[in-house]
Amino acid sequence: MKLRLFRNATLKLDYAGRTVLIDPYLAPKHSLPSFTGRSPNPMVDLPAPIEEILEGVELVVVSHLHTDHFDGVAKERVPKHLPLLCQPGDEGKILEAGFTDVRPLLDVFDWNGLVFTRRQGSHGLGPVVEKMGPVMGFTLAAQNEPKIYWAGDTVLYPPVAQTIAEARPDIIVTHSCGAKWDGDLIVMDAEQTLATAELAPKATVVAVHMEALDHATTTRADLRATAEARGLAKGRLIIPDDGETRSFAAS
């Protein structure tokens, strides 16, 4: 399996002979409004041309409809005929954007031997959740591949711990920028990312969704420093740079 981070949550997986694109955020640097007044978004350029990002993609996953996960450029550039997996309730707006093969992930979905299982997420806790709206994570499994838990835009709360205990993933992908909305944490920060790693002592945690948005509060350096202070074993936490590819073998 290969995982390439492009920017924010946008990942490309080469997995069991298939190529999957997750949460395409393709807008040019500074082309979208600020969330906090600190900077227009996204704060950084894509590390590769859009054509390269889309090359070979066979399936698209859109976890939710916030612009930093599925923006106007993605709606224009991602081929409309590709199968697109989304959370229930988002399919109408995606169909309105012209996509023709939209498949809500209701529970378990087997696509050419790639088995996706929908997992709960909470985009914060308390009143902010109503503002943020619903989100989903998923686990992904296939023969002779490591099992992935892609947690998505969620804080650490009991259903995340339950998923880790039940699914026993080999790789956990966390959104770890510590983004806040109205002062409330809406995705994991450094402390929650490390606590997630401690729940899965045999898993590798891949922390993404960092240094791209102006409401983030946690940098890659912050997360590395926290991991070092907590004594996390070397190799258990991977913090890829934008454009970086990592390979993983089946456990």
Side-chain angles (χ1 to χ4, degrees):
M1 168 203 152
K2 290 183 180 180
L3 176 155
R4 186 177 183 189
L5 170 66
F6 287 103
R7 181 182 62 191
N8 206 50
T10 305
L11 298 177
K12 193 174 188 178
L13 300 180
D14 291 325
Y15 191 81
R18 300 289 180 173
T19 302
V20 179
L21 182 66
I22 301 172
D23 281 4
Y25 181 38
L26 306 180
K29 180 181 178 181
H30 290 166
S31 65
L32 295 173
S34 167
F35 293 135
T36 65
R38 183 161 66 96
S39 169
N41 289 305
M43 295 173 61
V44 294
D45 289 312
L46 285 168
I50 291 175
E51 292 80 7
E52 182 178 329
I53 295 170
L54 297 177
E55 183 179 2
V57 171
E58 299 169 276
L59 175 72
V60 180
V61 180
V62 172
S63 64
H64 63 300
L65 298 181
H66 287 174
T67 54
D68 62 307
H69 294 260
F70 191 49
D71 65 350
V73 177
K75 292 174 185 176
E76 292 178 1
R77 297 294 300 273
V78 174
K80 300 295 193 296
H81 70 278
L82 290 176
L84 189 152
L85 203 57
C86 68
Q87 67 174 346
D90 287 350
E91 61 268 28
K93 289 184 178 179
I94 298 172
L95 287 165
E96 287 175 4
F99 292 85
T100 59
D101 189 1
V102 182
R103 310 183 189 195
L105 182 56
L106 301 171
D107 184 15
V108 179
F109 176 63
D110 187 331
W111 180 78
N112 293 309
L114 276 64
V115 181
F116 291 85
T117 302
R118 185 171 174 239
R119 303 295 183 175
Q120 293 184 59
S122 187
H123 212 340
L125 295 173
V128 75
V129 174
E130 186 174 349
K131 298 177 184 178
M132 293 296 100
V135 295
M136 73 169 184
F138 61 83
T139 49
L140 174 60
Q143 189 173 5
N144 299 321
E145 290 285 13
K147 180 179 284 188
I148 301 171
Y149 171 30
W150 187 90
D153 266 11
T154 187
V155 294
L156 177 58
Y157 76 133
V160 171
Q162 183 177 354
T163 294
I164 292 170
E166 292 178 355
R168 298 184 179 181
D170 302 300
I171 298 165
I172 302 172
V173 180
T174 60
H175 293 179
S176 299
C177 70
K180 292 186 176 182
W181 198 267
D182 294 340
D184 292 317
L185 191 68
I186 57 173
V187 299
M188 295 184 194
D189 58 8
E191 287 293 334
Q192 290 199 356
T193 301
L194 269 293
T196 299
E198 290 166 358
L199 290 171
K202 294 184 179 180
T204 299
V205 174
V206 181
V208 301
H209 203 309
M210 305 184 77
E211 300 180 0
L213 303 170
D214 77 325
H215 63 333
T217 66
T218 301
T219 66
R220 290 177 169 99
D222 294 334
L223 183 53
R224 289 189 184 100
T226 302
E228 184 175 349
R230 293 276 280 270
L232 190 70
K234 187 176 180 180
R236 285 256 289 122
L237 175 66
I238 294 173
I239 311 171
D241 292 325
D242 291 349
E244 185 175 352
T245 300
R246 291 290 187 129
S247 298
F248 302 88
S251 60

